């Protein structure tokens, strides 16, 4: 069966036979929040209601560029004085402070920027009938991220240091590029071939076929950063849990053990942007199966 052309190629080859067989070379990775049995592999794609499809890698520069082209008002929009502080860096994704190509993960995007991208892609693909009328793109929740990376202390297991070339982090290349004689104590001897950010998919995927689960960039989550999900030593919000949004994952500048912990969320203003922070989409299948 030929898969319809996607308006934006953010999902890629799955490790699961079901979607490789049913949807072709751009098969979507299916992340099911219950055990996957061999007997399930013959299910038809139209029976996937209630499943969550996870993007194989973070949203790329070329994906975000298409979104901006489709949504920017000719001549730009007028910025109100009270919005100027938040809007002044809204195009910083184009020049984040280092060279990047179309397949690099987009960074310096806020939580609000990521939400706007998901809303745009949902409307675009519903209109093109690529996804169902009730299906939607959004950011992953912390619970879904936990299903992606697992419940071990680190995404690769419980041992330290990390395995060789597990991802793009602040190892020896990063340290030498900044004039240090060697990497910090936790990352001493670790080499990954990239000083700063790397194109998505530059390192081996995890057991489920997801790339950049370790390093490269951190990603925004759908969740508010609230007491129930925060690390005991990191809770910053006493305003009812509606002040910050959570983000998770190590990045290209990560060099201490705690930054690599699998399910340790951090907090960011919804409007804040960073050179090490982007996002990864999930597609929630809500539409009823076709008859």
């Amino acid at each position: 069966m030929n898969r319809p052309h996607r308006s934006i190629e953010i999902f890629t080859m799955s490790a699961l036979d079901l979607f490789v067989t049913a949807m072709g070379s751009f098969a979507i990775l299916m992340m099911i929040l219950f055990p996957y049995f061999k007997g399930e592999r013959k299910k038809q794609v139209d029976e996937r209601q209630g499943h969550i499809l996870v993007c194989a890698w973070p949203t790329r520069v070329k994906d975000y560029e298409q979104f901006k082209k489709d949504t920017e008002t000719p001549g730009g929009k007028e910025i109100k004085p009270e919005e100027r502080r938040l809007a002044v860096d809204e195009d910083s994704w184009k020049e984040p402070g280092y060279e990047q190509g179309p397949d690099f993960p987009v960074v310096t995007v806020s939580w609000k920027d990521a939400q706007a991208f998901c809303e745009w892609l949902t409307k675009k693909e519903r209109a093109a009938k690529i996804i169902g009328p009730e299906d939607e793109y959004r950011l992953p929740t912390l619970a879904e991220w936990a299903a992606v990376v697992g419940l071990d202390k680190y995404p690769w297991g419980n041992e330290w240091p990390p395995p060789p070339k597990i991802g793009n982090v602040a190892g020896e290349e990063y340290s030498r590029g900044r004039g240090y004689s060697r990497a910090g104590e936790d990352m001493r001897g670790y080499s990954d071939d990239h000083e700063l950010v790397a194109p998505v998919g530059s390192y081996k995927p995890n057991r489920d076929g997801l790339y950049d689960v370790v390093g490269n960039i951190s990603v925004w989550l759908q969740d508010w950063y609230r007491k129930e999900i925060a690390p005991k030593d990191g809770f910053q919000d006493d305003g009812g849990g509606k002040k910050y949004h959570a983000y998770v994952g190590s990045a290209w500048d990560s060099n201490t053990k705690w930054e690599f912990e699998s399910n340790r969320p951090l907090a960011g203003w919804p409007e804040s942007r960073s050179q090490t922070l982007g996002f990864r989409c999930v597609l929630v299948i809500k539409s009823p199966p076709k008859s």
Side-chain angles (χ1 to χ4, degrees):
M1 181 175 96
N2 293 327
R3 183 167 182 259
H5 174 69
R6 301 194 65 79
S7 61
I8 197 164
E9 295 175 3
I10 61 170
F11 291 81
T12 190
M13 181 66 74
S14 170
L16 301 181
D17 292 352
L18 169 65
F19 281 91
V20 170
T21 301
M23 303 193 79
S25 61
F26 287 105
I28 297 174
L29 174 67
M30 181 173 67
M31 187 269 290
I32 308 176
L33 299 178
F34 50 82
Y36 181 80
F37 298 101
K38 290 183 178 179
E40 297 286 298
R41 297 191 181 197
K42 293 184 179 180
K43 268 189 175 181
Q44 296 298 312
V45 173
D46 288 339
E47 295 178 2
R48 68 188 188 278
Q49 185 183 16
H51 294 166
I52 295 171
L53 313 180
V54 183
C55 183
W57 44 52
T59 303
R60 302 165 298 188
V61 170
K62 64 183 179 183
D63 304 327
Y64 197 76
E65 183 177 29
Q66 185 62 54
F67 154 66
K68 296 296 283 187
K69 286 179 179 178
D70 281 6
T71 58
E72 283 184 335
T73 302
K77 69 175 183 178
E78 181 180 354
I79 301 174
K80 299 177 182 178
E82 63 270 22
E83 295 177 341
R84 193 169 299 280
R85 179 180 65 84
L86 303 178
V88 68
D89 292 326
E90 67 179 9
D91 286 333
S92 57
W93 64 274
K94 296 178 181 177
E95 297 181 3
Y98 48 75
E99 292 185 7
Q100 60 180 3
D103 288 316
F104 280 59
V106 68
V107 294
T108 65
V109 290
S110 69
W111 184 89
K112 289 185 175 181
D113 296 332
Q115 289 293 314
F117 178 93
C118 291
E119 291 171 7
W120 162 78
L121 189 57
T122 297
K123 291 178 181 177
K124 188 177 183 73
E125 295 204 348
R126 281 179 180 175
K129 300 187 183 303
I130 294 173
I131 62 175
E134 297 176 31
D135 302 342
E136 66 174 348
Y137 291 93
R138 61 165 169 76
L139 301 178
T141 65
L142 182 61
E144 291 160 0
W145 179 259
V148 166
V149 300
L151 299 178
D152 291 334
K153 186 170 184 178
Y154 308 108
W156 60 83
N158 295 309
E159 71 280 2
W160 187 270
K165 299 188 186 300
I166 190 71
N168 179 27
V169 301
E172 298 291 351
E173 291 86 359
Y174 173 88
S175 300
R176 288 196 299 270
R178 275 151 183 72
Y180 304 119
S181 59
R182 59 192 310 184
E185 183 177 353
D186 284 343
M187 300 307 300
R188 194 154 293 171
Y190 183 88
S191 177
D192 58 31
D193 300 330
H194 286 91
E195 177 190 346
L196 303 177
V197 75
V200 300
S202 294
Y203 300 85
K204 291 182 179 180
N206 74 353
R207 62 188 179 280
D208 294 320
L210 288 166
Y211 295 87
D212 293 344
V213 171
V214 178
N216 222 14
I217 63 165
S218 303
V219 291
W220 285 110
L221 296 177
Q222 189 74 8
D223 306 77
W224 287 98
Y225 184 86
R226 59 192 188 280
K227 190 173 183 178
E228 292 77 11
I229 69 170
K232 293 181 180 179
D233 59 348
F235 185 59
Q236 305 175 36
D237 182 13
D238 57 1
K242 294 294 180 71
K243 187 175 181 180
Y244 303 101
H245 275 288
Y247 66 93
V248 73
S250 51
W252 53 265
D253 68 343
S254 297
N255 61 5
T256 53
K257 284 185 181 181
W258 68 265
E259 294 178 274
F260 295 91
E261 293 178 8
S262 293
N263 300 295
R264 182 188 180 100
L266 298 173
W269 293 99
E271 302 89 356
S272 61
R273 297 179 174 91
S274 166
Q275 291 177 315
T276 61
L277 182 56
F279 65 100
R280 184 190 299 256
C281 297
V282 300
L283 173 61
V284 184
I285 305 298
K286 295 181 178 180
S287 300
K290 296 178 181 178
S291 58

